[in-house]
Amino acid sequence: MLFLQLLLNGLQVGAIYALTAAGFALIFGATKIFHVAHGTAFTIAGYVFLFAWRAGWPGWAGAAAAVLAAMAFGVAMERYVYRPIQRHEGSFFTVFVAAFGVGIVVQNVIGMIAGRGFATVDTPLSFSAEILPDVFVAPMLWISLATAAVLFIALTVFLTRHPAGVGLRALSQNPDLVRTYGLSSNGLSVLAFAIGSALAAPAAIVTVMTTGLNEAIGHQVMLISIAATIVGGIGSLRGAALAGMMLGIAESLALQFVDTQWAEAVSFLVLFGFIIFRPSGIFGVVQTR
Amino acid sequence: MSPASTDGLKRPGQAQAPAIQALGLTAGFGGRDVLQDVSLTLNDGEILCLIGHNGAGKSTLLRVLFGLHRPSAGTLRVFGEQPGQHSPAAMGAAGVALVPEGRGVFPDLTVEEIFGLALWSAGVPKSGQRERVDEVLDVLPRIKEFRTRRAGTLSGGQQQMVSIGRALLTRPRVLLLDEPSIGLAPKLFQDLIRPIAALRESRGMAILLVEQNVREAFAVSDRVLVMRSGKFIFEGAPSELDDHAKLMELF
């Protein structure tokens, strides 16, 4: 039964990883910007929800505020950090250090405001009930899985049916040609950051309501997102989501053999395995730029 | 070249203002001027062929005319009006479309997705989209055979057809074509260019055609400009360059 319990826990963690990884992969795929501050959008969304909850806001209002905050952060990063760097033809390392720096600043500001250490909210949704002998599940598990599934389907429909979504796919293939079509590559880039960052918010909210979060959680989220993007195959959104789910389950199942504090390393062992044996990832696509 | 010295073939009903009038355009990259004080007039309903060596500045000129590259000096008017901004969106709104060099399609998108993207970017409402697509399919009927396929799986000629079809969806009054014959057999290029050239008659569309494939391009053109090192060095009727020696001398 321990296996089933860990698998179910893994599904919940996996849903969180899948959503954040899909957001990171969407941004990276469309804009080719290695958005290291993606974890910061997660942290901001989580704390906005936490503060809203503590201020007595209804859950839906807190969730909406969290989504908006994540989107605003992502768009601001694109507009005020990445775009000026790219305009001056800054290198990959400039982008990396700038984004990492923003992450550290936000982490410290949140630490100053909210205090250090784990914070969580109490909700009946995270109270577990015994569904089988020795197997406990909280409603939050089903909510997380349903949210991840619905958002992923919505994202897929958007990218294949809506012209703006098709525009994002076009941007990932040839930004210069996008301009020839009369479209604004800057506008599409902002859209990619808005949607990609918004995807981190539901994952952050689930985290606040279950395990809780601290101001440094963004780094872990970012590392997992990168690992999932590589394992899934760079350029593949469903690959990133599937890999995120897989890493969540792997981390949880590893608890059968190792202590909690080592679980995170399992994701990276999986990543190394892929780098050695299948470097193109699950759905590796050949980039045609 | 004097900007006023361009009279092509005047047609009844031709608008007074030229389709494109560029004065003193200078543009370049990294401090090096690729275009030097270039002036050009493209009359409404005219097909103007622009030829020249690689690196003469032809593609840069088209990119400047479409708002993709900002000139350091000069003015640009489309049908007598100065576009509000020097951007592809503003040029598109003014009725200009560019078919870029190479394959102007996104390899992972289907032909239908590419057309949908073009219609969306041109702000065509859903209700009018069908009519626009049918118009293009009338001009380039072979596109019907591969509408649902990904552009990357199409042949060079088919991709070029899609690229031109995409530009026609915006109902341009000025079409800028950058070396559409690259990689195509001469017969294929003829099949492609003739229906486009015919649009000049039916819709009064002006076409600026950049080409290396001189023989085929001259067959449909009203006037020829030869460019060298960022300047025009010849302007005249295609028949004036029938003499092979003269053409070689200019090149």
Side-chain angles (χ1 to χ4, degrees), chain B residues 48-53 56 58 218 224-228 231-236 241 246-247 249-251:
Chain B
L48 174 60
C49 181
L50 176 59
I51 60 173
H53 273 300
K58 307 183 300 290
F218 281 11
V224 178
L225 281 171
V226 182
M227 198 171 202
R228 184 195 284 164
K231 288 183 174 151
F232 293 132
I233 54 166
F234 172 85
E235 184 207 350
L241 291 178
K246 167 112 186 186
L247 190 60
E249 182 192 317
L250 286 170
F251 260 82

Side-chain angles (χ1 to χ4, degrees), chain A residues 163 169-170 173 176 179-181 183, chain B residues 88 104 106-108 113 120-121:
Chain A
R169 285 162 56 211
Q173 294 170 47
D176 198 45
R179 299 183 63 216
T180 306
Y181 277 45
L183 294 162
Chain B
F106 298 98
D108 288 345
E113 285 177 327
W120 179 64
S121 114

Side-chain angles (χ1 to χ4, degrees), chain A residues 160 162-164 166-167 169-170 173-174 176-183 288, chain B residues 63 66 68 88-89 98 100 104-109 113-114 117 120-121 166:
Chain A
T160 49
H162 194 281
V166 176
R169 285 162 56 211
Q173 294 170 47
N174 190 338
D176 198 45
L177 189 58
V178 159
R179 299 183 63 216
T180 306
Y181 277 45
L183 294 162
T288 46
Chain B
R63 289 178 67 85
F66 190 62
L68 282 165
L98 168 69
V105 293
F106 298 98
D108 288 345
L109 300 188
E113 285 177 327
I114 288 172
L117 198 58
W120 179 64
S121 114
R166 186 278 306 172

